[in-house]
Amino acid sequence: MKNTIYCFGLASIMLLIACGDAGRPEVSEAKKKLKKSTEEYDPKRGEGKFDHVELDEKLNVEMATAGGRISGVKCLSCHKLTDERLVGPGWKGVTERRKPAWLMNFFTNPDPMIDKDPELQAQLELCLVRMPNQDIADE
C-alpha cells in the first residue's frame, strides 16, 4: 500500500513537471505576446478596423430592415432585446454602455476582443458560451 501511494505521488510530480511551461520558449513567447496585446487593447474602441462610427440622425429604413433580418437569423437565438440573459446577455441598454465603434468591432471581429477585453471575459464566465464569429459584413 505504501509503495502504491509513493508511486502515485511520484507520478503526479513528474506529470506536473512535464506539463509545466519551464523550458518551453514558445509558450513563454505566446504569453508575452498575449500580455502585450492585452495591454494595448482600448476598451472604448475594441479591437478591429472601426475607430469611429457616425450615426445618422434619420433612420435608414432599408438598412434597419436588413439589419433586423440579419439579427433575426444570427443573433436572436442567443440574445433577447430585453435585459434578460438567454445564452448571451440581453441587449437592453447596450448602446448606452458601449460606443458604436466598439459594437461594430465586436460584431465583425469578436474573437480578438473576447481574448483581450476583461469585461467580455467576465461575461464569458457568466454565460459559459463564447460568442461565435457570425461573419457579419461591415455594411
Side-chain angles (χ1 to χ4, degrees), residues 47-105:
E47 182 76 18
K49 64 181 172 181
F50 294 96
D51 289 320
H52 180 74
V53 174
E54 194 67 40
L55 299 178
D56 293 334
E57 291 294 317
K58 185 178 175 192
L59 178 69
N60 182 323
V61 176
E62 186 178 315
M63 285 184 78
T65 302
R69 281 194 299 269
I70 291 168
S71 70
V73 171
K74 296 187 176 202
C75 308
L76 294 178
S77 58
C78 294
H79 299 278
K80 290 189 173 196
L81 298 177
T82 65
D83 59 1
E84 183 182 356
R85 179 169 58 108
L86 191 55
V87 175
W91 284 353
K92 183 177 182 182
V94 72
T95 57
E96 295 161 9
R97 294 188 305 274
R98 300 294 184 178
K99 294 185 179 284
W102 188 97
L103 292 168
M104 285 297 294
N105 283 326

Side-chain angles (χ1 to χ4, degrees), residues 2-69:
K2 246 182 176 179
N3 284 340
T4 304
I5 294 172
Y6 176 74
C7 288
F8 180 74
L10 184 60
S12 298
I13 291 170
M14 290 174 58
L15 182 63
L16 286 172
I17 291 170
C19 293
D21 292 347
R24 294 180 56 200
E26 69 277 1
V27 173
S28 297
E29 191 61 34
K31 283 183 178 180
K32 284 180 192 174
K33 284 182 183 177
L34 179 61
K35 184 174 190 250
K36 185 176 186 222
S37 67
T38 303
E39 289 170 353
E40 294 172 355
Y41 179 76
D42 181 358
K44 293 190 182 347
R45 183 185 156 275
E47 182 76 18
K49 64 181 172 181
F50 294 96
D51 289 320
H52 180 74
V53 174
E54 194 67 40
L55 299 178
D56 293 334
E57 291 294 317
K58 185 178 175 192
L59 178 69
N60 182 323
V61 176
E62 186 178 315
M63 285 184 78
T65 302
R69 281 194 299 269

